[in-house]
Amino acid sequence: MQIGIIGLGRMGSNISRRLMKAGHSCVVFDANAAPREALAKEGATGTTSLAEMVKSLGEKPRVLWVMLPAGRITEETVEGLGGLLEPGDIIIDGGNSYYKDDVRRARTLAEKKIRYVDCGTSGGVWGLERGYCMMIGGTKEAVNHLDPIFAALAPGLGTIPRTPGREGEDPRAERGYIHAGPSGAGHFVKMVHNGIEYGLMQAYAEGFDILRNKDSKSLPEDERFELNLPDIAEVWRRGSVISSWLLDLSAAALVKDPQLEQFSGFVEDSGEGRWTIEAAIEEAVPAEVLSSALYARFRSRQDHTFGEKILSAMRFGFGGHVEAHRPAAAKPNDKP
């Protein structure tokens, strides 16, 4: 298929590369010339404006994937495309937009018979190699039309053992993508995914902080242990019930820098955690762990602990997120 990719940051560029590797044709645009020129050298068609991109997409219906930060820039881009596209064309928002914005956009674009699909996309800077987990909202017709795109981006079955009893169920879930429901459902599922991520990360952070402080002079001398955190992280990766990719990233960061001196402990939040708590309040669902994890990030901006350095290390590992008060010299680990 032919597809336009708007926004060539860490994920947008690699989404383009993974699609081209699978044989799809990419027309790309970014306000910054460097990434679009780099992708043009790799086989993409570079364009310098949304209008030029739309004209360059000869295959009908046109398909455009917006991979920009949630908020005003995505809103303006979707609105601009709405004035350039024709009935039947499809806009995909693959960023982390607020799901209520998706519901509104889909309704507005439907008046012009332009189809809108929201795609919560997880995979960070490793998506090119590992594939992207995708949670998709939109009409069945639009999502089915886009299946070759989603199938190419998804991780596939891989080596993960198949879940017993799934015979006869939608096979897409096993391959790493789902049609979650109508417009907004994809980003809603991704929003809760990110809220859970906050809680998981906070649990690891607090655990490693407890381990690190076991040699504190405030404890009786015969109860102090000088523990090897890189070894503990590594052994937990091997058969432990708390093994995970987040633990893999923690182990990689700790073996490289056991004191995590390159991290300040100042931890940002990207919005989805807040929206998840708002949804819990609207639904009257208790979410104590997720709320505490969000508030811990707020507190980290005033008083930093080793645990928060673990949080920063994980965020940098999976998404390349550079915290506001962290030295900029470090680079992502070579392996997750």
Side-chain angles (χ1 to χ4, degrees), residues 221-233:
E221 188 172 355
D222 60 354
E223 293 182 14
R224 298 178 201 163
F225 306 144
E226 189 175 342
L227 300 170
N228 187 313
L229 299 192
D231 280 0
I232 292 170

Side-chain angles (χ1 to χ4, degrees), residues 3-21:
I3 184 171
I5 308 290
I6 302 164
L8 305 176
R10 291 187 296 263
M11 291 183 68
S13 289
N14 281 345
I15 283 172
S16 303
R17 292 185 175 100
R18 189 170 174 91
L19 287 173
M20 288 191 292
K21 185 178 179 181

